[in-house]
Amino acid sequence: MTLQQPALPATAVATRPARRRDRARLYQEIGMLMPAVALLTIFLVVPFLLSFWTAMTNQPLVPRPTPVRFIGLTNFLRVFKDDLFWTSLWNVSRFTFWILPVQCGLAFASALLLHQKLPLRNFFRGLFFLPAITSMVVVCVIWGTLFQYPTGPFNQVIGFLSGGRIQPIDWLGDPDWAMFSIVLLSAWQAYGFQMIVYLAGLQGIPDELYDAARIDGANAFQRFWHVTMPGLRPTHVFVLVITTIQAFKLYTQVAILTQGGPRSSTETVVHYMVRAGFEEQKLGYASAVSVILFLIVLVIALVQRQLLRRFDV
């Protein structure tokens, strides 16, 4: 006499292969995520944790016979009590306030022009994008010559156009002009990236919307205001936030052209941090500045995320 096994319900038999597929898909997704997780851990999480730990010590740049001590939040308190840090934060905020309309406006105008069906359009797109792929060091050397006081090309042109009524400007030596000069240089070098983003946004607007607007009798300005601008709303948000984050990392132009001067008028947070770490050899103090800067950029990134959600990007 043989005992028969009870038959499994049909639904259980049917769901078993589905569970295997779901499990296999889960393992596959985890495997695809692992490289990204590993890279983020190595290049983001670990450096931040090491910086935070170093900021809690009196670690010098060059090892000394005296042991490194744990000093808690002392470095952070010193940073907040340093007037030069607040000056650098104010300067980089001022730079951001100026660079946003200049750089983004230049990129937007260039994208609108190069989006038209003009002859040699692709050539001019590459030409306009050329500064963005040029080394910032090279750009600074060239613009340093243009800014030269009092006989640089800029002063020569201004003197010629004004008939000698405008005196030569000390672009990099005058505290009232130094940051403005850095803004002009930075906007010219980097606007090509934002231009490419705007061009991609313009190409994503359907032509049918423009055709419908023409049928309704809309003129060129009305098509721009009611079709182009709403279609570029997510692009505007992306460009503004990315430019803001990049502005807070201002360093190379300042290090090459002004070294934070004159009278700390171009001192930035990154330049302040590098000077503390390498010139003054206070690695723990510089790490505290880097952690604070990271948190500032993190807040900007969170604002970006909220804006992107709000505009359903």
Side-chain angles (χ1 to χ4, degrees):
M1 181 176 180
T2 57
L3 295 177
Q4 294 183 348
Q5 296 291 334
L8 294 175
T11 54
V13 175
T15 56
R16 187 175 297 170
R19 289 179 179 174
R20 292 199 189 99
R21 287 195 299 271
D22 292 343
R23 193 179 299 113
R25 185 180 303 169
L26 177 62
Y27 293 152
Q28 185 179 12
E29 292 173 352
I30 293 175
M32 294 176 67
L33 284 174
M34 286 308 294
V37 173
L39 290 175
L40 286 174
T41 302
I42 295 173
F43 294 106
L44 183 64
V45 177
V46 172
F48 176 75
L49 293 178
L50 289 176
S51 297
F52 187 73
W53 169 252
T54 306
M56 308 281 277
T57 67
N58 63 343
Q59 175 73 52
L61 179 64
V62 180
R64 297 173 181 172
T66 56
V68 177
R69 292 184 298 107
F70 178 80
I71 58 175
L73 299 176
T74 303
N75 282 327
F76 292 96
L77 296 176
R78 288 175 180 170
V79 172
F80 290 131
K81 291 179 180 178
D82 191 346
D83 293 337
L84 187 55
F85 168 75
W86 293 108
T87 300
S88 65
L89 189 59
W90 163 249
N91 287 337
V92 79
S93 301
R94 193 159 50 105
F95 173 81
T96 305
F97 180 78
W98 286 351
I99 198 72
L100 283 177
V102 175
Q103 184 170 324
C104 297
L106 186 60
F108 186 42
S110 302
L112 289 176
L113 176 64
L114 297 179
H115 187 61
Q116 306 302 317
K117 296 180 179 178
L118 302 173
L120 301 176
R121 181 174 59 175
N122 291 331
F123 169 76
F124 284 107
R125 286 181 177 179
L127 185 65
F128 282 31
F129 187 68
L130 188 60
I133 58 175
T134 305
S135 169
M136 180 58 83
V137 176
V138 176
V139 171
C140 288
V141 172
I142 295 173
W143 278 69
T145 304
L146 298 176
F147 284 137
Q148 193 174 11
Y149 175 81
T151 57
F154 282 168
N155 282 323
Q156 295 287 346
V157 172
I158 292 175
F160 174 77
L161 295 178
S162 65
R165 287 187 290 272
I166 298 179
Q167 297 299 316
I169 299 172
D170 193 357
W171 297 94
L172 299 174
D174 188 336
D176 295 331
W177 284 98
M179 182 57 79
F180 178 72
S181 304
I182 297 293
V183 170
L184 286 181
L185 182 157
S186 305
W188 179 84
Q189 193 274 338
Y191 84 97
F193 172 75
Q194 284 86 347
M195 182 192 70
I196 293 298
V197 176
Y198 272 126
L199 278 174
L202 289 170
Q203 293 172 356
I205 300 175
D207 293 335
E208 290 79 6
L209 295 179
Y210 291 102
D211 296 337
R214 289 191 185 91
I215 294 174
D216 290 340
N219 56 34
F221 177 77
Q222 290 171 330
R223 292 196 299 273
F224 167 78
W225 190 254
H226 295 289
V227 178
T228 303
M229 291 300 285
L232 288 178
R233 185 178 301 163
T235 308
H236 287 312
V237 176
F238 177 77
V239 168
L240 289 175
V241 175
I242 289 296
T243 306
T244 302
I245 294 176
Q246 292 294 332
F248 269 84
K249 297 189 294 184
L250 175 65
Y251 171 71
T252 306
Q253 303 91 306
V254 173
I256 295 177
L257 293 176
T258 63
Q259 292 81 44
R263 296 202 295 269
S264 302
S265 61
T266 59
E267 184 70 270
T268 63
V269 178
V270 176
H271 188 258
Y272 172 78
M273 175 185 67
V274 173
R275 284 203 306 124
F278 290 94
E279 295 182 11
E280 302 174 14
Q281 300 190 4
K282 297 186 294 186
L283 193 59
Y285 186 85
S287 298
V289 179
S290 70
V291 171
I292 294 172
L293 179 62
F294 174 82
L295 295 177
I296 293 174
V297 175
L298 178 63
V299 170
I300 296 174
L302 293 176
V303 173
Q304 173 194 21
R305 185 179 178 184
Q306 294 300 321
L307 289 174
L308 294 178
R309 281 184 175 180
R310 180 177 180 182
F311 291 106
D312 194 22
V313 180

